Amino acid sequence: MAKSAVSLPGLSSPAVGFEQPFEMLEACHERVHRSLELLRRIVAHVDEHGHDDKSRAAVGDVLRYFDIAGPLHHQDEELHVFPALLSHPDPLVPAAVAQLQADHVRMHWLWSRLRQILLVWRDDEAAGAISDVERRLADDFINCYERHIPLEEAIAYPAAQPGFSAADLDRIGAEMAARRRG
């Protein structure tokens, strides 16, 4: 096989820092998309080749992203973006926020279950073929994010940004960075 079915795509991201919090949130979405695509490729690889060192390493990458960066990203939105939109004059915006918050709960629930499966895929040398239940859970997780991100980028972020001053954005960016430093 000339190219591994689970090789990582290019890891270049826009040169965005926390001084631009909304741009940072969108750059995180790019990384989410790459991690979801990697999960898709893992499933395809295991279907074709079974679990192997390449698939286990790729599973480790997916686990790291959604164990660490994913929850921080959701926390950023829950603390800084969504509260600013709950009293927005356009009724579509608070409705979108309610959906996004429900999505975060669902994603957390899905991840807690998918994570257990991925740990087996990564750690159990005897892991077998992917079951229909495992495949459906991976698909549900991927699909939830793929419905979620466009709603944030098309409605939530554009509605929230004008309400923040430069000082607000500096404070938000500093808080986001501090959370990542632990």
Side-chain angles (χ1 to χ4, degrees):
M1 177 162 94
K3 184 176 179 184
S4 169
V6 291
S7 65
L8 287 171
L11 292 176
S12 63
S13 291
V16 174
F18 288 105
E19 66 280 353
Q20 300 172 305
F22 283 93
E23 291 82 354
M24 178 60 80
L25 291 169
E26 288 186 5
C28 287
H29 285 168
E30 291 177 28
R31 290 185 286 279
V32 168
H33 284 300
R34 285 198 306 264
S35 295
L36 295 173
E37 181 56 30
L38 180 57
L39 179 56
R40 273 193 190 96
R41 290 196 325 268
I42 292 166
V43 170
H45 179 88
V46 171
D47 284 345
E48 186 173 341
H49 306 283
H51 295 283
D52 58 20
D53 289 343
K54 289 179 184 177
S55 68
R56 286 185 180 86
V59 166
D61 291 340
V62 171
L63 283 162
R64 271 187 300 284
Y65 186 81
F66 288 107
D67 277 348
I68 299 168
L72 288 169
H73 177 80
H74 289 184
Q75 190 176 21
D76 294 338
E77 294 167 340
E78 295 282 345
L79 291 173
H80 302 296
V81 179
F82 298 164
L85 299 174
L86 294 176
S87 61
H88 195 279
D90 180 345
L92 293 176
V93 174
V97 169
Q99 178 61 55
L100 293 168
Q101 289 173 316
D103 287 350
H104 283 180
V105 170
R106 176 147 176 80
M107 289 173 198
H108 176 75
W109 183 86
L110 289 166
W111 179 246
S112 69
R113 280 137 189 88
L114 180 60
R115 183 178 191 281
Q116 297 309 308
I117 292 165
L118 295 178
L119 288 170
V120 170
W121 292 2
R122 183 192 68 188
D123 299 337
D124 186 350
E125 293 287 329
I130 297 173
S131 73
D132 289 342
V133 170
E134 293 169 335
R135 186 179 314 280
R136 194 168 31 257
L137 188 55
D139 288 343
D140 288 349
F141 184 73
I142 291 166
N143 292 335
C144 192
Y145 265 104
E146 288 181 342
R147 286 187 308 271
H148 179 84
I149 290 172
L151 190 58
E152 288 180 337
E153 291 183 352
I155 295 177
Y157 295 176
Q161 272 184 288
F164 292 111
S165 68
D168 292 333
L169 293 173
D170 287 344
R171 177 186 50 78
I172 290 168
E175 290 175 14
M176 288 168 64
R179 268 192 294 284
R180 282 151 180 83
R181 285 191 299 270

